[in-house]
Amino acid sequence: MPDQPGDGDPGRPSPEDGPGIPPVPPVPPVGQDGVPAPDDTDDGAAQDPEHASPDQDGHSPPGEKNSAEEAEEKEKEEYGKGYDDLRLVQQRVYNNFYASVDASGAAFGFGGTSSSRTGLAPGVVEPETVDEALRCYVRPQPCFDEALGKLAVGSLVVLTGQDNCGRGAGALALLREVAGEGAPLRSLSPANALAELATTTAITAGQGYVIRDYVGETNVAAVQAYEIGRLSEELRRKNAFLVITADHTTLRRLALSDHCVQWHSPDPSELFHRCREQLPHVDIDPESEKELLESVAEQRRPADVVAAAAALLHSPRKAIETLRDGDSKIVQDWFAAKPSAEDLLPMAALAFLEGVPERNFEDACAKFFARMRTWELNGETAVAESEPVATLPEPGAGLEQSRARWKERAVGLVHVERRPGPGQDAARSERRLVFTSPRIRDLVIGELHGLYGYKLWYPLRQWLGDLSRTPDLDTRTEVARGTAVLARYALNEVEEHLLGAWAEGLMSQRVTAALTLQFMCETDHLAPQALGIVLDWTTGAPAVPSPPPWR
């Protein structure tokens, strides 16, 4: 390092500065000869601008920035890039492909007015909306009468049970029964603190309230039986009613155990007949009717039965195909054939990279194979893992027509399409691998999670972590979309191994985590879970455990 400011390269860091300290720009000339005037140092010598110290208030001399200021500017720049990425995805995804975002009432991305989300978005639930939701409604017994009794006595009831068993429609039916057909209904945010409702003016006399997919308090200890009792008393005093729906994974409702009712789906055959009474009449031959009713009796989701009744308006065969779910069968058959690793791994990769340019997919897929090979060569095995993983093909085994192999690898599941990227013209169209049906991606991830264990998912999670750091926003968007689908089957694993690590990682990883939460909000039962994860992060709660050393 030169002794004088004008010698050598003033932007070169000194070895004494230590690693990681960015170079400090030189001080602009202040004298006629271009050399800064000497300051009042102990030895009277001119101070080297590279070693100039901040003043007593911690500020650097004019024209200079200390390491803290530069780090702050760099952090702001990174945050700016992250926000730009999120804005870009919002424009590409929601404005072009999905419904508009509705953030009213702090709903955290709940949007649209689709019938499947009736009563989910906070706000007034219009009578017409309730009429449409209950047009073909059948009361499941005996849970409906049990819930009605609790609601009549305590003005508060919690409907628990499996997802898609009709709890949302049941909540509206109960409120209409106890409050009357003309009573106003209002939906509250799933993040509402129940204990606070009793101490505010939020409750209006004579009104019915519903909280779908209750998240619970951010602190379990905050929900006490005493406070819930006060809420029930306040509801009774004002002749108001509150129905809450919650699944079995909501662990923060222990104080509500006395108000819970296990909810069940209505009889599918009875529901189907009710739908046929409400819809235009369709003639159907006896043989097709018998086949259709047999398929209806096997259904467990009310939404599937209603969908079959609607499909019957087109044709009996259409209704039967709706219930048989051809997509599910073709995916199950593919996995039942026990595909080799050279077919399984590309299919697993496509579940998280659907629609990216094929050249990018092939590059990412090669890295996935490398991750898997490294895992096998290391010989590490989880304690509870026992199933074998097929041996990977040896490198250098010859050039295969890999792109043509998709015609044999996934018949009926995957096809190739050519289209340009966002903002590009048709001349820049590229080959992209996509599933033949939107549901197949969901079904493939579900089969992967249900059939394969640690030896597949550990290297796959590592590979997803690699992709979360890639600069390509389109790749990270698809990773987030696939991870949101995985959360439907393994929410705890996604939160612990993926979201938790990404949220504490680089800005590109944080954006990937934010996109994952955004896509989770497109699924009714995951939207409140996404909100709960964010609330835990903002309050500093230990939402995820500390990552293990090997992650």
Side-chain angles (χ1 to χ4, degrees):
M1 177 64 64
D3 294 330
Q4 297 300 327
D7 296 335
D9 182 3
R12 187 182 302 278
S14 168
E16 300 177 357
D17 291 338
I21 299 180
V24 180
V27 179
V30 295
Q32 294 181 353
D33 56 357
V35 179
D39 57 4
D40 296 332
T41 55
D42 292 340
D43 55 3
Q47 187 177 8
D48 189 339
E50 292 192 15
H51 295 82
S53 302
D55 57 22
Q56 294 180 354
D57 295 330
H59 300 289
S60 298
E64 293 187 9
K65 299 178 183 177
N66 59 31
S67 58
E69 291 172 338
E70 290 192 348
E72 182 179 358
E73 286 194 3
K74 185 177 181 181
E75 184 178 6
K76 289 181 179 179
E77 182 180 354
E78 288 295 315
Y79 275 110
K81 293 179 181 178
Y83 285 124
D84 289 342
D85 284 349
L86 291 174
R87 280 193 294 267
L88 184 58
V89 173
Q90 290 280 355
Q91 294 171 359
R92 291 181 183 176
V93 177
Y94 279 90
N95 293 344
N96 294 336
F97 301 105
Y98 292 91
S100 59
V101 177
D102 180 7
S104 61
F108 191 68
F110 299 146
T113 57
S114 82
S115 58
S116 64
R117 292 174 178 263
T118 302
L120 181 59
V124 176
V125 183
E126 299 295 341
E128 296 80 8
T129 304
V130 180
D131 291 339
E132 178 64 22
L134 302 180
R135 182 170 60 154
C136 301
Y137 187 72
V138 173
R139 297 181 177 184
Q141 296 296 356
C143 57
F144 188 93
D145 288 345
E146 181 184 356
L148 190 62
K150 287 182 177 290
L151 195 58
V153 173
S155 296
L156 171 65
V157 69
V158 181
L159 310 183
T160 65
Q162 298 179 351
D163 293 326
N164 304 309
C165 66
R167 292 173 306 184
L172 298 179
L174 288 168
L175 288 174
R176 172 161 286 188
E177 181 69 19
V178 295
E181 188 168 340
L185 302 183
R186 188 173 187 85
S187 176
L188 304 178
S189 168
N192 270 97
L194 299 183
E196 295 180 0
L197 289 178
T199 60
T200 66
T201 58
I203 298 177
T204 303
Q207 187 154 355
Y209 297 92
V210 58
I211 300 179
R212 283 192 56 182
D213 298 321
Y214 174 58
V215 173
E217 315 297 330
T218 55
N219 183 1
V220 177
V223 183
Q224 301 294 334
Y226 172 74
E227 298 293 346
I228 301 303
R230 289 183 58 194
L231 172 60
S232 178
E233 181 180 349
E234 182 70 8
L235 288 167
R236 288 197 302 269
R237 188 177 68 84
K238 294 185 176 181
N239 195 31
F241 303 91
L242 172 61
V243 180
I244 302 170
T245 70
D247 59 24
H248 293 300
T249 62
T250 303
L251 303 179
R252 304 183 179 98
R253 53 181 170 81
L254 301 180
L256 295 169
S257 57
D258 293 338
H259 301 272
C260 290
V261 173
Q262 180 71 29
W263 202 254
H264 301 283
S265 302
D267 179 79
S269 299
E270 183 180 356
L271 176 59
F272 184 74
H273 286 298
R274 176 66 58 84
C275 291
R276 293 197 64 184
E277 292 174 357
Q278 298 296 323
L279 297 174
H281 177 72
V282 175
D283 292 327
I284 179 173
D285 62 273
E287 184 177 349
S288 296
E289 183 175 22
K290 178 182 178 182
E291 183 180 1
L292 179 58
L293 292 179
E294 289 176 353
S295 297
V296 165
E298 299 173 355
Q299 304 304 310
R300 294 295 176 266
R301 290 162 33 108
D304 293 338
V305 177
V306 175
L312 184 60
L313 298 178
H314 298 279
S315 69
R317 181 51 50 187
K318 180 68 174 179
I320 294 173
E321 291 176 354
T322 299
L323 294 176
R324 285 183 173 177
D325 192 358
D327 290 341
S328 179
K329 185 178 186 304
I330 194 172
V331 171
Q332 291 175 359
D333 289 346
W334 190 86
F335 280 96
K338 298 182 179 180
S340 63
E342 60 181 334
D343 288 336
L344 175 67
L345 297 188
M347 182 67 75
L350 185 61
F352 293 91
L353 290 177
E354 181 186 10
V356 303
E358 190 172 27
R359 55 188 174 87
N360 295 345
F361 172 78
E362 291 172 340
D363 178 69
C365 200
K367 294 176 181 177
F368 184 25
F369 268 85
R371 274 286 187 184
M372 181 65 74
R373 182 171 288 109
T374 300
W375 165 250
E376 286 190 340
L377 293 177
N378 286 342
E380 299 176 14
T381 304
V383 175
E385 188 65 29
S386 59
E387 72 265 27
V389 174
T391 303
L392 295 175
E394 293 296 330
L399 293 178
E400 180 191 14
Q401 295 181 350
S402 58
R403 294 184 176 181
R405 183 169 175 78
W406 279 101
K407 298 178 181 179
E408 304 173 358
R409 171 182 289 144
V411 178
L413 293 177
V414 179
H415 71 274
V416 179
E417 66 179 27
R418 295 187 65 91
R419 55 181 169 85
Q424 296 179 342
D425 57 33
R428 296 188 176 274
S429 297
E430 295 190 74
R431 286 170 53 98
R432 300 169 189 266
L433 295 168
V434 296
F435 291 111
T436 55
S437 167
R439 289 196 63 234
I440 290 181
R441 185 181 202 170
D442 186 327
L443 295 169
V444 166
I445 291 179
E447 291 293 320
L448 288 170
H449 180 262
L451 297 176
Y452 297 90
Y454 191 71
K455 288 183 179 179
L456 172 67
W457 283 103
Y458 174 76
L460 196 152
R461 288 197 303 261
Q462 296 290 302
W463 174 69
L464 292 177
D466 297 338
L467 295 180
S468 70
R469 292 187 288 269
T470 184
D472 184 52
L473 179 60
D474 291 338
T475 295
R476 287 186 280 127
T477 301
E478 289 307 313
V479 168
R481 202 187 306 273
T483 304
V485 174
L486 177 60
R488 302 175 190 176
Y489 303 95
L491 178 60
N492 290 337
E493 295 177 24
V494 167
E495 182 180 2
E496 177 181 346
H497 295 297
L498 299 176
L499 287 178
W502 296 347
E504 297 177 354
L506 303 176
M507 182 54 62
S508 61
Q509 293 179 292
R510 298 180 187 182
V511 170
T512 308
L515 292 174
T516 301
L517 293 168
Q518 173 179 302
F519 293 133
M520 288 171 60
C521 289
E522 297 175 3
T523 304
D524 284 0
H525 75 277
L526 287 182
Q529 300 297 332
L531 176 56
I533 292 172
V534 173
L535 291 176
D536 286 340
W537 287 350
T538 56
T539 57
V544 295
S546 300
W550 42 261
R551 191 168 71 188

